[in-house]
Amino acid sequence: MSTSTASRNPPFRYDVQTFPTYTAEHLGSLLRPKKLLTKRQAIYDKKDEASDLPALEDECVREIVELQKRCGFHAVSDGEYRRHMFWGTFFPSLNGMREITGPDPSIFRQYVPDIAAFLEEEKVPGETVICEGKISHSGKSSYIEQFEFMKSIVPKEQWGAIKLTLAAPNWYHLRYEEGKAYPKEVYKNDEEYFADIATAYQVELKILYNAGLRNAQVDDPNLAYFCSEKMIEGWKNDKANSRSIDDLFDAYIKFYNDCFKRPEDMHLGIHLCRGNFVNSRHFSEGGYDRIARKLFQNLNVSTYYLEYDTSRAGGFEPLKELPKNKNVILGVITSKFPKLEDKEEMKERIYKAAEFVAAGSGESKEEALQRLGVSPQCGFASHEEGNLLSYEDMEKKLKLVRQIADEVWPGQP
């Protein structure tokens, strides 16, 4: 597997039949229909059998793919309908990792934004994944069946457009206190731990690539947490930390680049947000300014899907750091609440963002605009319970995204 140079590769405005992206995108997770939620709850409550759940999931995935097509989207996902949470099952499937329930609160960094939010409500994450031994890929992808089913219901010439979302590599590192992400008798330091996870990611990407996946999206609120003044302050006050928060960010960029080695024709993007949980909860605030240069210039991805629906994500000025060979999907439409945004106002925001991209790259505004797209700021159901809006509200939001794209980039997919 060769190392990608994060060129402007699929799915961004190339041959739509082979390597499409798109002016209108969404972030992969979509509201589950009531019948699926009801079935799952009955299984949780032990009032129903799980044996016929896969058939219902198949039915619901077919329906949500048709909805995406009706709304005019080309890059389609399965809505993450087979997942309880957006990150799926990658980490629990690795050798050396184990999912646990009711974890000991003392293992967590209490100032990491999602952990802090749980503790505010006198809770801890109900589940987490811990390292117990040397980490390696099992050789079987826990995502592959989701992708294969999508292939079965999408015409072959559109397989390159299927979007599959993946977990962030540092998900089970940042949240743990120094020295508690792995046993010391297994890994001497972070670099050894990172190296084995990176190898597992490379195996995962290779399996998915060989199956035909060309459009992967990594979902990563953690990198946006480095924009949070509260987390930065907490980090500084934690005497157990052996490096600065900036040094950790640098280490993560190198770690991610090792994870994301892939063939040149496999598009990989990364989504940053500030949390998206039950009842439309967010976890952190802070603009991209303090991480923008390293994020945009050093991270080996082609596309950034960025939260931009409220002031908590700051302004567009950091987009000056975007290199000419990379793309940004502007998440100006909120997925958290039902109120529909003003279309003209959203178009003006996109044009303003293009001005900052152009100012940094030396392009014209029109040229910069061709490296932008529009989307909701996050998924509609990062947790299966979903955000505080209805299925009908979600459809209206998706149609608005398509309408905006058609008017800003007429005639483009």
Side-chain angles (χ1 to χ4, degrees), residues 194-342:
F194 291 162
D196 280 354
I197 292 180
T199 299
Y201 262 83
Q202 291 167 26
V203 172
E204 181 73 24
L205 290 176
K206 184 175 182 181
I207 292 170
L208 294 170
Y209 178 87
N210 289 343
L213 182 71
R214 296 297 182 270
N215 187 12
Q217 174 189 300
V218 174
D219 288 324
D220 197 336
N222 288 351
L223 291 186
Y225 292 168
F226 285 80
C227 306
S228 164
E229 292 299 329
K230 286 185 178 180
M231 189 179 97
I232 294 166
E233 188 63 25
W235 187 275
K236 290 177 179 176
N237 293 333
D238 185 349
K239 304 305 181 186
N241 289 324
S242 60
R243 56 176 135 199
S244 73
I245 198 165
D246 292 326
D247 287 343
L248 180 65
F249 191 80
D250 291 341
Y252 280 166
I253 294 291
K254 180 182 183 303
F255 170 37
Y256 279 36
N257 287 343
D258 289 340
C259 290
F260 297 162
K261 291 177 180 178
R262 61 197 184 277
E264 290 290 336
D265 62 341
M266 185 179 201
H267 172 267
L268 191 146
I270 191 165
H271 165 54
L272 274 69
C273 74
R274 286 146 187 81
N276 193 44
F277 198 57
V278 177
N279 294 324
S280 299
R281 179 76 184 267
H282 72 276
F283 294 136
S284 71
E285 298 184 359
Y288 299 99
D289 307 70
R290 73 180 309 276
I291 66 170
R293 178 166 296 180
K294 294 175 181 178
L295 177 71
F296 295 143
Q297 297 186 10
N298 298 344
L299 186 62
N300 183 21
V301 301
S302 297
T303 301
Y304 299 86
Y305 304 86
L306 300 181
E307 173 186 15
Y308 263 125
D309 63 324
T310 70
S311 60
R312 68 173 168 266
F316 293 130
E317 290 83 355
L319 297 179
K320 289 181 180 180
E321 301 291 346
L322 188 73
K324 285 186 178 180
N325 66 330
K326 295 188 178 183
N327 320 295
V328 165
I329 305 298
L330 299 165
V332 295
I333 303 298
T334 190
S335 64
K336 295 183 184 293
F337 303 106
K339 183 180 178 182
L340 210 56
E341 288 80 359
D342 180 88

Side-chain angles (χ1 to χ4, degrees), residues 394-413:
M394 176 182 72
E395 184 170 357
K396 291 176 183 176
K397 294 270 184 176
L398 293 174
K399 287 180 177 178
L400 177 61
V401 168
R402 182 71 262 175
Q403 290 166 9
I404 292 168
D406 286 343
E407 294 185 19
V408 175
W409 301 276
Q412 296 196 39

Side-chain angles (χ1 to χ4, degrees), residues 2 33 41 46 71 126 166 187 309 322 324 332-333 339 390:
S2 64
Q41 189 59 54
K46 302 187 184 305
C71 291
L166 308 173
Y187 293 111
D309 63 324
L322 188 73
K324 285 186 178 180
V332 295
I333 303 298
K339 183 180 178 182
S390 70

